[in-house]
């Protein structure tokens, strides 16, 4: 960590005048950062930088530029490197605690990527559960994160990723498609497969600098079976996704864990571990994705259940959240919802997927009851 | 800028080839000029306020090219940028400003009395007249790079200037962040309101940070003189009115500008200016006068004449749609303005507009009568 003298501050962007004069106007703001960044905290933190030069201004810019989201409480800050979470802990610890259900600075996070520990999950009714998916993110130690990395770093991450992924075999064997070299045909295929990611348009992401130099060193890798997918240099260094039609979440999670573990070994063989520590678990760009970074979900038909007065309550008790089938901020179409785990930090991967498996099974049972005109009162779960 | 380039030295761990941007699909002035050699030479440099080469070029890397216009692809973060990064910016300036050389001197002339005529453009054709320019306040960094504190101080100084005794013009100050809905509606109806930039050319350069903090609009009660604070430049100054009396528009423009400059100077903050580049602005395309003097003029016949583009080129004028740059013309009405900014004075550029528009209106009238305009085609100015 650096602590800058006032002379150095003149050189450092954006902190040239007194703290009072520089302190952002957060009066219209509703995000986690705005809740905690007081003037006193600003005074203390603005003179610091991580070893790679990431400063408070880099951390909070997205939250200053985006006062609030109508539907979801946004985080309003991002990390520029692994050290960010240490150097700016006075701000990030309360943000993390607020975002992750009271997770304390002294808490330990448990990682469990052993798919054998998942009970059941291979028999969700495919008449209701249309597809199953698990995603997470990973950061490569030794490189800065997407808001802050240089082109050279991003390209190095891409190069390492291609090397590692190219050595996968069996049902994980696949191909890398660099965004900048993609042919029209390849692009169309990836769109049809729902695999393609595009340049971010969300101001939440743009304001943090993640879209710089697009599409340089961004790409998509997927296996030949199209059930395992890796995004390189989008919102995190890597996003890893396992997915398939139907309700066999166990198989999806198996492949997810196997693939991830293999990739981690391949990176370690090349001298690069994933960013991880026993307090925050996997370290990712957005504080909301710390811990497991895992979102496991299904597209499930719940036309009756979703109109039930207790739907929201049931989801809450099951520690699940709903989204439309276009992802976050979309509406449900035809009674089909995206149901996934709400938590990321403080629970292991197995525990979170278990919640999805058990919770979705229950929701489908409730749906079937409601179809028959029966009550679901005796099925109401306790708070998990 | 807060992201990516805060600590430039860290990137020097990577070789030039590893950091050099991929400009293979790019079509902007920066991409034409920036070689690996220049990148290698400049990448470890910083201005005194910490602005780096990657900061200068980020907007051009992120925006490969514009279908209709050759964009500049680089911006200044402070006055010193034009010096520290001259190996890149001098060729860009030369390319953009018609061969302007590193040794050339720019002439400033804001004496409106030097304009000949301009008060009699036919209002049946010339619907409105407008002159705008930008100004940067010395001692502050520019919109791609400035801090909230700097921006707020510029706003404070601007508001003081508009309210000072020397300013004797009644007007209203409207900060964007406290604007009421009614005020906003009125400003939109007047065509005065500027909104948060959506163009990626601007947002990628970091100019929209902290919006709408310290951004605002001042206009006189007559609504003929308007100042934008902290949009793409520290100040944008606009004089406008309906009809074809460009002379009066320019008189008000010059008088207002000079009064503002006096007041800022009293606070020890003059405008950024030097004898080579004239007025220093954020975008290299606006150096020199930063002036765009133009009219909305009805040219339904002339605009469909095969020699229209040629005539404009010879008159050193450019056309836009009436929504501004990148819009289409509606009903044969065009926005016609000077193409040049650097290497000629304000008076000279407005004279080109006045004389050129007068000629084009005469051509339009001829074409209406079914007569030829061949004898009127001008020589290259």
């Amino acid at each position: 960590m650096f602590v800058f003298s006032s002379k150095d501050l003149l050189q450092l962007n954006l902190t040239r005048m007194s703290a009072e004069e520089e302190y952002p106007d957060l009066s219209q703001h509703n995000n986690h950062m705005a809740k905690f960044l007081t003037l006193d905290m600003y005074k203390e933190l603005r003179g610091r930088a991580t070893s790679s030069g990431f400063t408070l201004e880099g951390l909070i810019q997205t939250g200053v530029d985006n006062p609030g989201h109508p539907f979801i409480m946004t985080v309003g800050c991002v990390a520029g490197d692994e050290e960010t979470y240490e150097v700016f802990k006075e701000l990030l610890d309360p943000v993390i605690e607020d975002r992750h259900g009271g997770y304390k600075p002294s808490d330990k996070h448990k990682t469990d990527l052993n798919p054998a520990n998942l009970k059941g999950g291979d028999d969700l009714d495919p008449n209701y559960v249309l597809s199953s998916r698990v995603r997470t993110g990973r950061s490569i130690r030794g490189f800065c994160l997407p808001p802050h990395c240089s082109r050279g770093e991003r390209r190095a991450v891409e190069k390492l990723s291609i090397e590692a992924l190219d050595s996968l075999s069996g049902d994980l064997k696949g191909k890398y498609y660099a965004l900048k070299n993609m042919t029209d045909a390849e692009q169309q295929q990836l769109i049809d497969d729902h695999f393609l990611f595009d340049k971010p348009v969300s101001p939440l992401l743009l304001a943090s600098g993640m879209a710089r130099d697009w599409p340089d060193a961004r790409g998509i890798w997927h296996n030949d079976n199209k059930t395992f997918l890796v995004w390189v240099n989008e919102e995190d260094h890597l996003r890893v996704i396992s997915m398939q039609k139907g309700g066999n979440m166990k198989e999806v999670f198996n492949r997810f864990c196997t693939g991830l573990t293999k990739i981690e070994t391949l990176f370690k063989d090349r001298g690069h571990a994933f960013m991880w520590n026993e307090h925050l678990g996997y370290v990712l760009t957005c504080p909301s994705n710390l811990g497991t970074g895992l979102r496991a979900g299904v597209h499930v038909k719940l036309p009756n259940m979703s109109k039930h007065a207790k739907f929201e309550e049931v989801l809450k008790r099951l520690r699940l959240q709903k989204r439309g089938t276009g992802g976050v901020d979309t509406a449900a179409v035809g009674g089909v919802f995206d149901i996934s785990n709400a938590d990321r930090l403080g629970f292991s991967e197995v525990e979170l997927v278990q919640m999805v498996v058990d919770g979705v099974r229950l929701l489908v049972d409730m749906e079937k009851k409601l179809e028959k005109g029966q009550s679901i009162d005796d099925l109401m779960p306790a708070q998990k | 800028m807060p992201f990516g380039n805060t600590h430039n030295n860290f990137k020097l761990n990577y070789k030039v080839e590893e950091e050099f941007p991929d400009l293979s699909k790019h079509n902007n002035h920066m991409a034409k000029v920036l070689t690996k050699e220049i990148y290698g030479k400049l990448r470890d440099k910083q201005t005194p306020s910490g602005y780096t080469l990657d900061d200068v070029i980020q907007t051009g890397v992120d925006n490969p090219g514009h279908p209709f216009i050759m964009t500049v692809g680089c911006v200044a973060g402070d006055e010193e940028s034009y010096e520290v990064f001259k190996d890149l910016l001098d060729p860009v300036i030369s390319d953009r400003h018609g061969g302007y050389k590193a040794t050339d001197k720019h002439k400033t002339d804001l004496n409106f009395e030097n304009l000949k005529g301009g008060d009699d453009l036919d209002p049946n054709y010339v619907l409105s007249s407008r002159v705008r320019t930008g100004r940067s306040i010395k001692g502050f960094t520019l919109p791609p790079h400035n801090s909230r504190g700097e921006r707020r101080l510029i706003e404070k100084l601007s508001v003081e200037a508009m309210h000072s005794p020397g300013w004797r013009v009644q007007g209203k100050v409207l900060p964007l962040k406290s604007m009421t809905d009614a005020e906003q509606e009125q400003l939109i109806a007047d065509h005065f309101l500027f909104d948060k930039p959506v163009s990626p050319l601007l947002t990628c350069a970091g100019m929209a940070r902290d919006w709408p903090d310290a951004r605002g609009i001042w206009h006189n009660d007559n609504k003929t003189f308007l100042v934008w604070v902290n949009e793409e430049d520290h100040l944008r100054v606009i004089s406008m009115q309906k009809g074809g009396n460009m002379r009066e528009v320019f008189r008000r423009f010059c008088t207002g500008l000079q009064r503002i400059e006096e007041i800022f100077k009293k606070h020890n903050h003059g405008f950024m200016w030097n004898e080579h580049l004239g007025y220093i602005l954020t975008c290299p395309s606006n150096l020199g006068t930063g002036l765009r003097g133009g009219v909305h003029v009805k040219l339904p016949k002339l605009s469909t004449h095969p020699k229209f583009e040629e005539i404009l080129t010879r008159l050193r004028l450019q056309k836009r749609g009436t929504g501004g740059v990148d819009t289409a013309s509606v009903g044969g009405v065009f926005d016609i303005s000077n193409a040049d900014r650097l290497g000629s004075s304000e008076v000279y550029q407005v004279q080109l507009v006045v004389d050129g528009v007068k000629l084009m209106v005469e051509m339009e009238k001829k074409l209406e009568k079914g007569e030829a305009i061949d004898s009127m085609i001008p020589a290259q100015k």
Side-chain angles (χ1 to χ4, degrees):
Chain A
M1 164 167 105
F2 292 148
V3 178
F4 286 90
S5 69
S6 52
K7 176 174 173 292
D8 291 331
L9 277 178
L10 284 177
Q11 282 267 332
L12 248 195
N13 309 341
L14 310 181
T15 49
R16 286 175 211 111
M17 300 173 68
S18 75
E20 289 79 357
E21 288 163 325
E22 295 291 359
Y23 180 67
D25 179 351
L26 300 172
S27 55
Q28 311 291 323
H29 288 59
N30 180 42
N31 56 53
H32 289 291
M33 180 278 291
K35 279 177 77 173
F36 294 105
L37 186 71
T38 59
L39 176 59
D40 283 339
M41 191 184 284
Y42 182 79
K43 271 186 193 156
E44 186 176 358
L45 297 183
R46 75 181 193 126
R48 300 185 191 170
T50 66
S51 309
S52 76
F54 195 65
T55 63
L56 180 67
E57 296 297 338
L59 186 69
I60 67 173
Q61 191 69 59
T62 181
V64 174
D65 288 349
N66 296 289
H69 197 277
F71 304 143
I72 52 180
M73 177 75 152
T74 46
V75 176
C77 52
V78 290
D81 53 24
E82 193 167 7
E83 233 186 305
T84 302
Y85 287 100
E86 197 49 48
V87 172
F88 300 104
K89 63 193 327 322
E90 284 90 338
L91 173 62
L92 289 173
D93 280 350
V95 166
I96 288 166
E97 187 165 348
D98 200 33
R99 178 63 174 205
H100 293 282
Y103 194 77
K104 295 192 295 298
S106 51
D107 284 340
K108 301 276 177 270
H109 172 81
K110 183 164 162 247
T111 293
D112 182 0
L113 281 160
N114 184 350
N117 291 340
L118 182 71
K119 300 186 192 50
D122 54 353
D123 61 351
L124 298 171
D125 187 340
N127 293 311
Y128 293 82
V129 180
L130 307 178
S131 60
S132 308
R133 179 186 189 264
V134 181
R135 69 87 158 150
T136 190
R138 288 292 185 265
S139 307
I140 319 298
R141 187 160 276 163
F143 296 99
C144 295
L145 297 173
H148 187 51
C149 65
S150 71
R151 282 181 294 274
E153 286 187 289
R154 212 185 286 114
R155 290 163 179 174
V157 167
E158 185 192 35
K159 186 156 174 282
L160 267 174
S161 303
I162 294 173
E163 272 181 40
L165 295 167
D166 272 353
S167 59
L168 287 173
S169 59
D171 76 319
L172 291 177
K173 181 169 174 312
K175 194 177 160 190
Y176 182 74
Y177 301 86
L179 249 59
K180 73 174 172 181
N181 295 334
M182 212 171 271
T183 66
D184 287 345
E186 286 168 339
Q187 186 170 289
Q188 195 52 56
Q189 186 61 57
L190 287 168
I191 289 172
D192 293 341
D193 293 328
H194 302 287
F195 281 177
L196 185 66
F197 67 92
D198 208 351
K199 182 170 177 177
V201 294
S202 164
L204 300 173
L205 299 182
L206 294 175
S208 72
M210 291 185 215
R212 286 171 301 124
D213 314 311
W214 204 275
D216 196 307
R218 272 84 166 189
I220 293 166
W221 178 96
H222 69 78
N223 65 350
D224 295 336
N225 293 342
K226 295 183 182 176
T227 53
F228 194 72
L229 175 60
V230 179
W231 290 351
V232 179
N233 286 319
E234 194 236 10
E235 190 183 329
D236 284 292
H237 288 161
L238 303 176
R239 282 290 177 96
V240 177
I241 302 157
S242 170
M243 59 203 267
Q244 66 194 50
K245 297 252 180 255
N248 193 345
M249 182 60 94
K250 192 168 185 62
E251 190 168 282
V252 169
F253 189 54
N254 266 357
R255 186 185 312 113
F256 175 81
C257 296
T258 315
L260 251 185
T261 314
K262 284 215 170 89
I263 294 173
E264 181 161 20
T265 308
L266 292 164
F267 268 92
K268 274 198 182 136
D269 288 346
R270 288 159 178 77
H272 287 279
F274 290 154
M275 288 183 199
W276 181 93
N277 66 58
E278 59 172 12
H279 167 51
L280 296 178
Y282 288 102
V283 175
L284 294 181
T285 302
C286 182
S288 69
N289 281 323
L290 291 166
T292 60
L294 185 140
R295 192 171 93 83
V298 299
H299 283 187
V300 55
K301 285 196 231 179
L302 299 171
N304 291 297
M305 186 62 210
S306 57
K307 296 203 204 79
H308 193 283
K310 291 222 155 96
F311 185 45
E312 300 285 345
E313 176 66 21
V314 170
L315 288 174
K316 205 149 169 274
R317 291 188 185 193
L318 294 174
R319 307 192 75 87
L320 300 177
Q321 61 173 207
K322 73 181 198 301
R323 301 179 183 193
T325 48
V328 70
D329 290 353
T330 62
V333 175
V336 180
F337 284 81
D338 177 315
I339 303 290
S340 63
N341 53 297
D343 302 302
R344 303 273 184 272
L345 176 63
F347 298 89
S348 75
E349 289 82 353
V350 166
E351 283 169 339
L352 294 177
V353 178
Q354 194 71 65
M355 280 187 231
V356 174
V357 158
D358 297 346
V360 169
R361 180 181 293 120
L362 179 63
L363 287 167
V364 169
D365 286 346
M366 287 172 155
E367 178 70 22
K368 288 172 172 171
K369 283 240 165 182
L370 291 171
E371 275 173 20
K372 293 187 222 148
Q374 293 169 9
S375 143
I376 54 165
D377 292 343
D378 57 332
L379 290 179
M380 288 293 290
Q383 176 68 52
K384 284 196 172 296
Chain B
M1 286 205 350
F3 33 78
N5 309 311
T6 317
H7 194 161
N8 200 40
N9 293 341
F10 189 74
K11 281 184 277 182
L12 299 178
N13 292 326
Y14 287 82
K15 302 204 275 274
V16 171
E17 300 73 60
E18 290 165 328
E19 289 292 350
F20 185 68
D22 179 351
L23 300 173
S24 54
K25 305 220 166 49
H26 288 60
N27 179 42
N28 56 52
H29 288 292
M30 179 279 291
K32 279 176 77 178
V33 172
L34 185 69
T35 59
K36 274 202 192 114
E37 290 65 43
I38 295 176
Y39 187 80
K41 187 173 174 198
L42 296 179
R43 71 177 188 135
D44 62 346
K45 309 262 180 297
Q46 289 186 35
T47 66
S49 75
Y51 205 64
T52 65
L53 178 66
D54 276 340
D55 291 323
V56 172
I57 66 173
Q58 190 68 59
T59 180
V61 175
D62 288 347
N63 296 287
H66 198 278
F68 305 141
I69 54 179
M70 177 76 149
T71 46
V72 177
C74 51
V75 289
D78 51 22
E79 194 167 3
E80 292 87 348
S81 296
Y82 287 103
E83 195 49 46
V84 172
F85 302 108
K86 63 194 325 323
D87 288 339
L88 169 67
L89 293 174
D90 278 352
V92 166
I93 288 166
S94 179
D95 201 31
R96 177 64 174 204
H97 294 282
Y100 195 76
K101 295 191 291 298
T103 49
D104 283 338
K105 300 276 177 269
H106 172 82
K107 182 160 166 252
T108 293
D109 182 359
L110 282 160
N111 186 348
F112 67 91
E113 279 165 11
N114 291 339
L115 184 71
K116 298 186 190 55
D119 54 355
D120 61 350
L121 298 172
D122 187 341
N124 293 312
Y125 293 82
V126 180
L127 306 178
S128 61
S129 306
R130 180 185 187 264
V131 179
R132 69 86 161 149
T133 190
R135 290 291 184 264
S136 307
I137 316 300
K138 215 170 165 64
F140 294 96
T141 61
L142 298 172
H145 188 50
N146 59 13
S147 70
R148 283 180 295 272
E150 288 184 284
R151 216 185 282 118
R152 289 164 179 170
L153 188 48
I154 289 170
E155 183 189 39
K156 187 159 171 281
L157 282 172
S158 305
V159 169
E160 274 182 39
M162 306 313 169
H163 285 154
S164 71
W167 185 242
R168 266 183 243 108
V169 177
Q170 294 305 310
K172 280 175 82 163
V173 172
L174 297 151
L176 252 57
K177 75 172 166 184
S178 50
M179 205 172 277
T180 66
D181 286 344
E183 286 169 336
Q184 187 170 291
E185 287 300 316
Q186 187 60 56
L187 286 171
I188 291 171
D190 291 330
H191 302 286
F192 280 179
L193 185 66
F194 67 93
D195 207 351
K196 180 170 179 177
V198 293
S199 164
L201 300 174
L202 299 182
T203 53
C204 292
M207 293 186 216
R209 286 170 301 121
D210 314 312
W211 203 275
D213 197 310
R215 272 81 169 193
I217 294 167
W218 177 94
H219 67 79
N220 64 354
D221 286 342
N222 291 344
K223 296 183 181 175
T224 54
F225 194 75
L226 175 62
V227 179
W228 290 352
V229 179
N230 287 320
E231 194 237 10
E232 191 184 326
D233 285 291
H234 290 161
L235 303 177
R236 283 287 178 98
V237 176
I238 301 156
S239 170
M240 59 202 268
Q241 68 193 48
K242 296 253 179 252
N245 195 342
M246 181 60 95
R247 188 178 184 77
E248 185 164 305
V249 169
F250 190 55
R251 183 198 57 73
R252 185 185 313 113
F253 175 82
C254 295
T255 320
L257 253 183
Q258 276 159 335
R259 185 57 54 77
I260 296 174
E261 184 162 16
E262 275 160 30
I263 296 169
F264 269 93
K265 271 198 185 136
K266 273 208 192 106
H267 284 86
N268 289 323
H269 285 284
F271 292 153
M272 287 183 200
W273 181 94
N274 68 50
E275 59 172 12
H276 167 51
L277 295 177
Y279 288 101
I280 304 288
L281 293 181
T282 303
C283 182
S285 70
N286 281 323
L287 291 166
T289 61
L291 184 143
R292 194 171 92 84
V295 299
H296 283 186
V297 56
K298 284 197 234 181
L299 299 172
K301 299 204 143 34
L302 184 58
S303 58
T304 50
H305 191 285
K307 290 222 156 89
F308 184 46
E309 298 287 343
E310 174 69 21
I311 290 165
L312 287 172
T313 305
R314 290 190 186 198
L315 293 175
R316 307 195 72 84
L317 299 176
Q318 62 172 208
K319 74 180 197 301
R320 301 179 183 193
T322 48
V325 69
D326 290 352
T327 62
S329 89
V330 175
V333 181
F334 284 82
D335 177 314
I336 303 288
S337 64
N338 54 296
D340 304 311
R341 305 273 184 272
L342 177 64
S344 54
S345 74
E346 289 80 355
V347 166
Y348 186 85
Q349 288 168 8
V350 176
Q351 193 73 63
L352 285 172
V353 175
V354 158
D355 297 347
V357 168
K358 180 181 268 148
L359 179 63
M360 287 196 292
V361 168
E362 284 167 22
M363 288 174 158
E364 180 69 22
K365 288 172 174 174
K366 283 241 164 181
L367 291 171
E368 276 173 20
K369 292 187 227 151
E371 294 169 15
I373 54 165
D374 295 339
S375 59
M376 296 168 79
I377 306 277
Q380 177 66 54
K381 288 201 168 292

